[in-house]
Amino acid sequence: MRDRVFMLQTRTTGEPIVVLKAWPADGAALREAYQEITPGYHMNKKHWITLNPGEKIDAQLVEDLVTESYLLVLEQNVPKNRWPVDPSTFGKGRGQ
C-alpha cells in the first residue's frame, strides 16, 4: 500500500503470527480480552499488536483486525488523492 506497512506475517517465533497496527486504546483492550493478542513483535508496542495462534482467534476477528489496520495506516499516512481504495466501501460487497 503505497510504501506503508499495515500487516506482517511470519513464523519467526516458530509459530505463525500476524502483526497489525491498532489504535493504542484498542490494542490495550484487545490484549486484555485475548491472551493470544500480545504487543507487536519487534514493532512499537504502543501502536502494534501480535495475533498468536489460539482458540479465541477466529477468522472473522483476524479479518476485522486486518481491515482496521489497513484503514488506520491508509488514513494516517497516505494523502487521500493517493488512496488505492475508498475506505467507505473497502471490504463491502461480499454479501454485507
Side-chain angles (χ1 to χ4, degrees), residues 7-66:
M7 179 180 84
L8 299 168
Q9 184 177 5
T10 185
R11 286 182 172 267
T12 302
T13 62
E15 293 185 300
I17 61 171
V18 176
V19 183
L20 300 166
K21 187 135 188 173
W23 286 106
D26 293 345
L30 287 163
R31 287 189 301 273
E32 260 187 52
Y34 299 92
Q35 77 177 46
E36 299 89 351
I37 298 179
T38 58
Y41 180 79
H42 279 286
M43 301 296 278
N44 179 305
K45 307 301 185 218
K46 183 177 179 183
H47 296 278
W48 291 84
I49 57 174
T50 298
L51 308 182
N52 298 279
E55 292 179 18
K56 292 185 178 181
I57 304 295
D58 64 16
Q60 186 61 56
L61 177 62
V62 173
E63 185 176 328
D64 291 346
L65 293 174
V66 168

Side-chain angles (χ1 to χ4, degrees), residues 1-2 74-75 77-87:
M1 175 212 334
R2 309 278 190 218
L74 179 72
E75 291 170 350
N77 297 290
V78 179
K80 195 169 187 170
N81 65 343
R82 294 184 57 215
W83 286 3
V85 298
D86 179 354

